Amino acid sequence: MAASSRAQVLRLYRALLRESQRFSGYNYSLEIIRTYAIRRIRDAFRENKSIKDSEKIEELVNKAKENLEIIHRQISNFKA
């Protein structure tokens, strides 16, 4: 993986974890969602860390970006 791709993936990973941390509050169900989201993010990135095919990496990065947008929307809905 090129250095720029690696940096992009790491930024995306951190952004997903950071955004997932925002699922917090006194509501127990939000706590469960936050824990699940963080676990899924870590598992997915760990599962795909050995992929070398640049097309597959690009596909996974695009999917992660879509998931980041979904997380952001969900947090906005919970806060509203």
Side-chain angles (χ1 to χ4, degrees):
M1 179 182 336
S4 62
S5 294
R6 181 174 170 79
Q8 178 187 15
V9 169
L10 290 173
R11 275 193 307 274
L12 187 55
Y13 176 72
R14 285 191 290 266
L16 282 160
L17 288 176
R18 216 175 306 119
E19 197 67 21
S20 295
Q21 288 291 343
R22 294 180 59 204
F23 279 116
S24 62
Y26 298 106
N27 189 337
Y28 182 70
S29 61
L30 284 180
E31 210 46 48
I32 291 172
I33 292 169
R34 182 178 69 84
T35 303
Y36 175 76
I38 291 169
R39 186 177 66 238
R40 275 299 298 136
I41 292 164
R42 288 183 177 148
D43 289 348
F45 275 80
R46 197 174 295 129
E47 195 175 293
N48 295 313
K49 74 178 182 179
S50 62
I51 294 177
K52 305 289 186 216
D53 180 21
S54 59
E55 286 183 24
K56 181 67 176 171
I57 292 170
E58 189 65 33
E59 178 185 322
L60 291 167
V61 165
N62 289 334
K63 184 177 178 184
K65 286 178 180 178
E66 291 172 10
N67 287 333
L68 180 59
E69 291 175 18
I70 291 169
I71 291 170
H72 183 71
R73 264 196 318 269
Q74 290 298 321
I75 289 170
S76 297
N77 289 340
F78 281 122
K79 300 291 180 181

